[in-house]
Each structure stands twice: as structure tokens, then as C-alpha cells.
Amino acid sequence: MMKPSVPGRASALSSSRVWLGALASTALLAACSTSSEPIEASGAAESVQAQAEYPVTVANCGNDLTIESEPETILSIGTSAVSLLDAAGASDRIVARAGEFGADLPAGLETPPTEAPIIDSADPAIEVIVGTEADIIVGYGLFNASPEDVAATGLQNIVIDGECSHDAGLAGATDFEAIFSDVERLASVFGTTDAAEANLTDLRAELDELTAAATSTGDGEQAAVVYYFSEDATMSARGGLGIANDVLARAGFENVYGDEASVYMEANIETLLDADPHTVVVAYGLYGESFEDARANFESEPGVAELTAVQEGRVVGVPASDLAPDPGAIQGLRTVLEGTGAL
């Protein structure tokens, strides 16, 4: 949704556009609710967990954030926040959603927040945020509400780990271990450690099974993840700091753009042609496009028809939402393995 902020872009404007595009699975905006009526929690108090001790202090994009008491209601920003909160055992506390840009809720959620209204399908303004009367914000960060505006309301904003820098380089790469650590961090905030540990056991087992199946998939060959954040945009790619890099590595590939200290980056088609990777993964759905549309866009690039991956039928489509910094990236890995014949 999409932020894990997006490092390595040329300007604040261009980076925001690339990042916002990478967050969405479509560009069709969902219907918004701007009601100022308080939104009731849907059952957070029913969660049975070990008692957490407050205050709790957690890392939050390089700073310490202290939570004085257990938050009972959440405003989620972006679908990755929903996926992480579900794995942490706290998605039943989501009372309002925003920043999903028309994307569907992630598949396979244990407690999907279907009753939580979408207060803004795009990035919400501070007035809309305040109207939810949520106890806390969890998401990719905010563009239309400054940190000063949020702080003035008394709200705290937990930014998911993979989205920590909108316009500056991330301190480290977001891999699957970072995603699992983020689940644990959120569980410590909401006092849901028992549920998180159970979910993480299942997630780690699934990831280990897929990784073992992929030991000889790429056999050290190169691969790249490319995408278009709008219909008229030039080609972009996933660099070395995002989860897509770990997905390719676990599938046995070396990322063509793995040396780039960025998550999302503008890519020159010539660099892809020079690398001539074994496999090209096309992330699709950012503005509502199908894989067929995204592939056609990619294959219309000058010279792409000469790529070995194109000629030998190794162009794999993966929904962009399955290459986000949340547990859904496991499905992204599964799709890559299926598309390359490992599963």
C-alpha cells in the first residue's frame, strides 16, 4: 500500500507517487465514509490473551514509542497493516480503515475487519482521522496529516517496519524475519502475544516448506521484479531493501537490482536488457490492471522481445499486494515458485 516508506527516489513528489502506487492493488477508489460519528470496537475485549504490562515501549522507525495503556481500537492505514495486525491477533480491534486505494482485503485473514468502514480510500486528512475516535493508528505512515498534526490530537502512529522512510534510505532490508519481528512488535503493543506466537509458528512452517522446495529453482540465475505504478508510467523495479529481494533469493535467484539500496525504484529498460535475466516477475494490480495488461505493457518496451525470459516463457505474474512487507509475501513466494515450475 503500501510507507514502508520508499527509499531511493529522486524527489519527494516522485517518491510519493511511486510509493502510493506500490501500496495499492487497484487504482479504483473504494467508497468512502466520512461520518464523524464514533465508531465502536467490534470485539477487542473478547480476545483471550496473557496480560501485558503497560507502559510498553517499542521501536518505531528509529525512535522509541511508549504506549501507556492497551489500545482497544485501531485505525488501519493500508492493507499491509491489516495483514500484520491479523497475524498479531489484533485485527478485531480495527474500527476504521483507510489508504487501501480500492484493494481487496488480504486473502486468508483469520479475523478480517469487514465491518470496519473505509473512512478514506486514499491517504486520510487529520480531520477524518480524528473523526474515527480510534485509540491508535497503525499503517504505512501518512502524507496528508503531518506528524505534528497527529501528535497534537494525542494519537500515536505506529508505522509498520517495512514502510519506515518515505524519502530516505531504510536502515536495513525488509526480509521475512523483519516481517515476523513486526508481528511480534505489534503483539506487544496490543497484548496479544499468545495469538501472535501461534500464528507465527504456522507462518514460519509454511515459509520453511516453500524455501526448502525452492533450493534448486533459480540455481543462482538472475531474476527481476518490475512493475508500472500507473498506465502511463515508465517501468519501475524492486531493489535490494524490500521483501521482493528476499522472495527472489528464497526462490534461488539473484535480484538484478539487488545492489540498489531502495525498495521501489525507477528502472532503465537498458539495464534489464543488459542483465537478460532468467526470469522476470511482473507485479500487477497497482492501478486495477490485470496480469495480462501488465505483461502486455512490459512486453511493449523496446527490445524486451529479445529477452530470454520472454522468449522461453518465464514471465511470472504476482499481485503487487503479495510483494508487500507483510505475511502475504509468503503467497508471493509461492506464486513465484509455481510460475517457475518448482511447485
Side-chain angles (χ1 to χ4, degrees):
M1 185 120 115
M2 68 160 72
K3 210 189 124 324
S5 65
V6 180
R9 281 163 287 180
S11 68
L13 176 59
S14 63
S15 60
S16 296
R17 291 177 63 201
V18 174
W19 170 69
L20 285 171
L23 284 173
S25 69
T26 75
L28 301 175
L29 300 183
C32 301
S33 169
T34 57
S35 171
S36 60
E37 293 298 319
I39 301 171
E40 299 298 328
S42 61
E46 297 176 4
S47 298
V48 179
Q49 298 291 335
Q51 291 297 314
E53 294 185 3
Y54 293 88
V56 172
T57 299
V58 295
N60 195 42
C61 296
N63 298 309
D64 287 341
L65 180 67
T66 298
I67 313 298
E68 296 292 344
S69 60
E70 182 175 334
E72 295 184 356
T73 56
I74 303 168
L75 165 61
S76 63
I77 311 290
T79 57
S80 283
V82 175
S83 181
L84 287 162
L85 287 164
D86 189 71
S91 59
D92 60 341
R93 305 187 192 194
I94 298 174
V95 296
R97 295 150 50 198
E100 296 176 8
F101 294 87
D104 293 332
L105 285 171
L109 295 178
E110 183 174 312
T111 309
T114 52
E115 298 303 314
I118 298 173
I119 59 164
D120 195 326
S121 58
D123 197 68
I126 190 64
E127 296 82 5
V128 178
I129 291 171
V130 171
T132 68
E133 297 192 2
D135 292 338
I136 202 163
I137 305 167
V138 178
Y140 56 67
L142 297 164
F143 286 106
N144 290 328
S146 70
E148 294 77 16
D149 288 341
V150 174
T153 69
L155 276 170
Q156 291 176 304
N157 184 16
I158 302 177
V159 179
I160 64 178
D161 186 70
E163 303 282 7
C164 273
S165 301
H166 288 306
D167 297 304
L170 294 170
T174 297
D175 56 13
F176 281 102
E177 284 306 315
I179 290 171
F180 297 154
S181 292
D182 214 15
V183 172
E184 293 171 339
R185 178 178 67 122
L186 291 172
S188 71
V189 169
F190 296 102
T192 55
T193 301
D194 291 350
E197 287 180 352
N199 289 332
L200 285 172
T201 296
D202 293 340
L203 291 170
R204 289 181 188 278
E206 183 180 4
L207 179 62
D208 288 346
E209 179 182 356
L210 291 174
T211 302
T215 52
S216 61
T217 302
D219 200 22
E221 296 275 8
Q222 286 192 309
V225 177
V226 302
Y227 70 97
Y228 299 84
F229 68 85
S230 72
E231 187 173 7
D232 300 322
T234 57
M235 189 184 78
S236 295
R238 300 296 186 94
L241 294 187
I243 188 60
N245 194 64
D246 196 15
V247 167
L248 292 182
R250 288 175 181 271
F253 294 109
E254 178 185 346
N255 186 359
V256 170
Y257 301 100
D259 291 336
E260 298 290 337
S262 60
V263 180
Y264 311 103
M265 51 177 285
E266 294 181 1
N268 190 310
I269 189 65
E270 282 74 20
T271 61
L272 191 65
L273 295 174
D274 288 344
D276 193 20
H278 175 276
T279 295
V280 175
V281 175
V282 177
Y284 68 92
L286 296 177
Y287 57 95
E289 82 281 19
S290 65
F291 170 53
E292 289 73 19
D293 291 339
R295 177 172 179 160
N297 198 6
F298 169 65
E299 293 185 350
S300 70
E301 296 278 4
V304 162
E306 302 303 316
L307 286 174
T308 302
V310 172
Q311 293 180 349
E312 297 185 3
R314 292 192 296 270
V315 178
V316 179
V318 177
S321 57
D322 288 343
L323 292 171
D326 61 58
I330 294 176
Q331 178 59 41
L333 173 59
R334 182 181 295 278
T335 303
V336 170
L337 296 178
E338 290 173 345
T340 54
L343 293 179

